[in-house]
Amino acid sequence: IVFGDWSSDVCSSDLHMLRREMGDDAFWEALRTLYRTRLFQAVSWTEIQTAFEGIHGSSLGGFFDQWLNRPGALELSLEGVATVEREGRALVTGTLRQKLPGYYARVPVALLTPGGEARTLVDLTGETADFALEIPDAPQTRGEGAVSGTLTVDPDADLFRRLHPEEIPPSINRLRGSKGAVVVLPEDRPEASARARLLIEALGLDPAEVVAERRLTPERLRDRDLILMGIPRDPGLLLGMPASALLDGESITLRSRRVSLEDHSLFLVFEHPVSTDRVAALFVSPDGPAEAVLRKVPHYGKYSYLVFQDGANRDKGVWPVLESPLIHRVTIETRSPRRQP
């Protein structure tokens, strides 16, 4: 079945939200019906809507219209988060707000605490919607105190929405076609200059300035993407590397996996050390396979880090998003347990 002229990303996003709207049983039954009746045929979104409405039993016109025909995307913010007690129940409350003109969406909200996890779906039909989540196993201690929890909106990225800048992890795509990047050469690697020219060509960096590390000034660094063609002498240039990447000179630990730098090539993209609008990257490679690796880097655009061995990709991944306007740390006061008579 060919889904019209829509990209695979749009198609998968819409179908995922449709599955959540209908429920698993009805969604899969509708998809099986569509498969039986339209196999090896092109199918329009109107025909898909009709097929799914036949199983759903009610109109899905509003769903299809807002997600397929309207420009833009859902834009969410989180406001007024507080912990309260109502009728003996400990709650975390807050307000969801969307940028107008709004969408109808069922927005997942999750609360994770030492006592467990609580979830709810917030029906967002206008500009704002309030919610309340009961704190799972509200903590009790022998004395008074507090524990922390995390409130997250859309924790599993179920919705088609516009991401906040903080929710977009650094990736190779953010380097491609960069205007005004500065490429830094280490002092003790004469082959780095040729590698830099190859990477500039592969990523379409135009213009890009190539400088030795000793000539890198704060003015050159400010407001420009940074690419390091080897481990720098100045550790401050690596300040933006995430905590899940630990570099010790002979190896790097990526999400608890140790990778030797003697026989692996690495390309990492991470936060810029001084600019919030730019990114930094580090390329480390043994002498042999560098050229083959550099030509492959642009083909892994959505990833934050790549690991190669003998010119073949062995690992890749995206840095986790730890901070976002849709992630709120909450403090939950603990209560002394009631004494038993």
Side-chain angles (χ1 to χ4, degrees):
I1 300 175
V2 180
F3 292 97
D5 298 325
W6 294 82
S7 71
S8 59
D9 288 342
V10 172
C11 183
S12 61
S13 173
D14 290 328
L15 289 176
H16 178 68
M17 290 191 295
L18 181 59
R19 176 182 174 184
R20 294 179 63 250
E21 180 76 15
M22 296 180 60
D24 281 355
D25 292 343
F27 175 84
W28 290 116
E29 179 60 30
L31 207 57
R32 283 191 290 267
T33 300
L34 197 63
Y35 177 87
R36 287 193 302 267
T37 58
R38 302 305 300 269
L39 185 62
F40 302 123
Q41 301 178 54
V43 178
S44 70
W45 281 108
T46 300
E47 291 169 317
I48 294 172
Q49 177 181 335
T50 300
F52 277 81
E53 285 177 340
I55 301 299
H56 188 52
S58 58
S59 173
L60 293 168
F63 175 92
F64 279 84
D65 181 62
Q66 72 171 3
W67 296 120
L68 295 178
N69 300 326
R70 285 182 53 185
L74 182 65
E75 297 185 50
L76 294 174
S77 59
L78 178 62
E79 301 176 351
V81 177
T83 55
V84 300
E85 188 165 337
R86 294 176 185 168
E87 300 177 352
R89 300 165 62 212
L91 305 172
V92 171
T93 63
T95 300
L96 289 180
R97 181 180 297 275
Q98 67 170 322
K99 185 176 179 180
L100 297 178
Y103 293 75
Y104 164 72
R106 304 192 74 198
V107 182
V109 178
L111 174 64
L112 183 63
T113 74
E117 184 180 46
R119 292 194 174 220
T120 190
L121 287 173
V122 182
D123 285 319
L124 187 59
T125 58
E127 185 176 7
T128 64
D130 297 331
F131 64 86
L133 274 168
E134 186 166 5
I135 299 172
D137 292 334
Q140 296 184 350
T141 66
R142 291 187 178 278
E144 299 299 324
V147 296
S148 62
T150 303
L151 183 76
T152 307
V153 177
D154 193 23
D156 302 316
D158 288 312
L159 300 174
F160 179 70
R161 61 182 177 86
R162 193 178 302 279
L163 297 177
H164 294 271
E166 300 93 326
E167 295 181 282
I168 305 174
S171 68
I172 293 166
N173 276 338
R174 290 182 64 182
L175 277 176
R176 296 185 66 175
S178 172
K179 303 299 182 183
V182 58
V183 184
V184 179
L185 306 181
E187 308 295 336
D188 56 348
R189 301 297 296 268
E191 76 282 3
S193 180
R195 293 180 176 183
R197 290 193 297 270
L198 180 59
L199 184 61
I200 289 170
E201 179 184 356
L203 289 174
L205 307 179
D206 182 29
E209 183 180 9
V210 181
V211 299
E213 184 180 350
R214 69 177 182 277
R215 297 185 181 277
L216 182 64
T217 63
E219 291 73 26
R220 278 192 167 113
L221 183 60
R222 189 178 301 116
D223 297 327
R224 303 174 77 177
D225 291 314
L226 170 68
I227 301 177
L228 304 166
M229 300 303 295
I231 299 175
R233 292 183 181 274
D234 179 6
L237 297 176
L238 300 174
L239 285 176
M241 288 187 64
S244 55
L246 301 175
L247 186 65
D248 63 14
E250 297 180 355
S251 68
I252 187 169
T253 301
L254 294 169
R255 296 187 175 182
S256 303
R257 179 196 171 200
R258 184 178 180 275
V259 178
S260 170
L261 300 182
E262 293 183 357
D263 56 354
H264 290 84
S265 299
L266 307 174
F267 193 85
L268 316 175
V269 185
F270 46 92
E271 300 291 343
H272 196 280
V274 297
S275 175
T276 58
D277 299 326
R278 296 287 187 166
V279 294
L282 170 67
F283 178 68
V284 181
S285 179
D287 294 336
E291 181 175 344
V293 168
L294 288 171
R295 293 189 184 279
K296 293 178 180 178
V297 164
H299 299 287
Y300 294 85
K302 69 180 182 179
Y303 295 101
S304 304
Y305 64 86
L306 305 173
V307 178
F308 293 87
Q309 188 176 35
D310 299 326
N313 181 247
R314 304 300 185 190
D315 193 12
K316 55 186 180 292
V318 177
W319 306 128
V321 174
L322 302 177
E323 298 295 334
S324 161
L326 299 183
I327 299 176
H328 189 92
R329 312 291 184 223
V330 296
T331 300
I332 303 165
E333 299 294 331
T334 58
R335 306 189 303 273
S336 298
R338 296 176 181 176
R339 293 184 178 179
Q340 297 296 324

